[in-house]
Structures are given as structure tokens and as C-alpha cells.
Amino acid sequence: TCPKVSDAGLFTNLQGILEHLKSGYDLLKKQNSLCLAASLDYGEWLNMAFELYGLEKLAGKITVTWKEWLEATVGIQDSYARKLREVAKLLCKYPRFRSLGLSFSEIYQRRKQIQVMLATDSSVAKYWHQAN
């Protein structure tokens, strides 16, 4: 973990804290990529659950809405689940995104741009489709 400033001692110049800044930023990028990968995985689970929900709803086994079922049984808000599902649909077939050091919210905000980029440039799509 990145040490707290209060625990690291007194610094009088930028050179003294440079190593902490570099290692802290590397840690932050790694944590963001782990969180993004987990968000993509969870979005896939939600997409699978949504399909199964639809089948069970058609069969009459479930009478509540997806939103009601999700909030009552899983405890997740439908709006957040929808974001996770949307990003997972967009990015799960592109493994290289899993190691990107950006937060889920930043990816979600840029999802339309990412979608256009992947759809309009095959060399870019090919790059992101490769495993690391």
C-alpha cells in the first residue's frame, strides 16, 4: 500500500517524495485495473442473470420486475447494474481492457467514444482484442 504522508516523515523538496509519488501511482493504476477487470467479470454475471431472469419470467416462475428482483435478492441498484452490464457487453470480448489502469466510472463515461473507436478502426479493435 501507499504509505500515509503523516507516516513517511518530513520532506523538504520534490526529489525526496518522487519515489513515493511514482510507486503510489503504479499502485493506483494496478488497483484500478483490478477493479475494472472485476467490474467486467461482474457485468458478465449480471448479463447471464438477466437472460435467465427473462426465461424464468416467460415461464411464469417470476412475477416481479428485473429491478425488483435484483434489488431484493442481490441488493444492487438497477442503475448501477445496468452500467456494469453495458460496459461488460462492450468490452468483454476485448481482453486488453482488463489491464487498463482506469477506473470503471471513467470507462463508463467514455463508453460511447470507445464503442465508436472499436467499430470504426479494425486495427484498434484488433489491438484491444489481443490478450496481454
Side-chain angles (χ1 to χ4, degrees):
T1 62
C2 188
K4 291 177 138 184
V5 171
S6 60
D7 296 340
L10 182 62
F11 293 96
T12 58
N13 59 50
L14 285 174
Q15 192 61 37
I17 66 168
L18 189 56
E19 192 56 39
H20 290 293
L21 289 173
K22 287 181 179 180
S23 64
Y25 185 55
D26 287 343
L27 176 67
L28 187 59
K29 289 190 298 184
K30 183 177 180 178
Q31 291 298 326
N32 281 338
S33 69
L34 290 172
C35 186
L36 180 58
S39 296
L40 293 174
D41 290 341
Y42 194 70
E44 281 190 294
W45 280 105
L46 287 168
N47 284 328
M48 183 187 305
F50 186 74
E51 288 180 29
L52 292 171
Y53 165 84
L55 293 173
E56 292 192 16
K57 180 85 169 172
L58 283 174
K61 294 179 181 178
I62 296 177
T63 58
V64 297
T65 65
W66 165 251
K67 177 181 177 178
E68 292 168 338
W69 181 86
L70 195 60
E71 291 176 6
T73 58
V74 181
I76 188 172
Q77 293 292 313
D78 178 54
S79 58
Y80 182 46
R82 196 174 326 113
K83 291 176 183 178
L84 290 164
R85 291 179 52 233
E86 183 179 350
V87 172
K89 282 181 189 175
L90 175 62
L91 300 182
C92 279
K93 58 186 166 200
Y94 300 99
R96 194 161 268 191
F97 276 99
R98 297 177 64 79
S99 61
L100 197 59
L102 297 175
S103 67
F104 175 80
S105 61
E106 191 165 351
I107 293 294
Y108 182 77
Q109 290 172 355
R110 299 174 191 272
R111 72 194 182 284
K112 300 289 184 192
Q113 296 163 310
I114 294 169
Q115 186 176 23
V116 169
M117 176 188 70
L118 293 170
T120 58
D121 192 333
S122 61
S123 64
V124 170
K126 185 177 179 180
Y127 171 82
W128 288 103
H129 195 270
Q130 299 167 0
N132 292 339

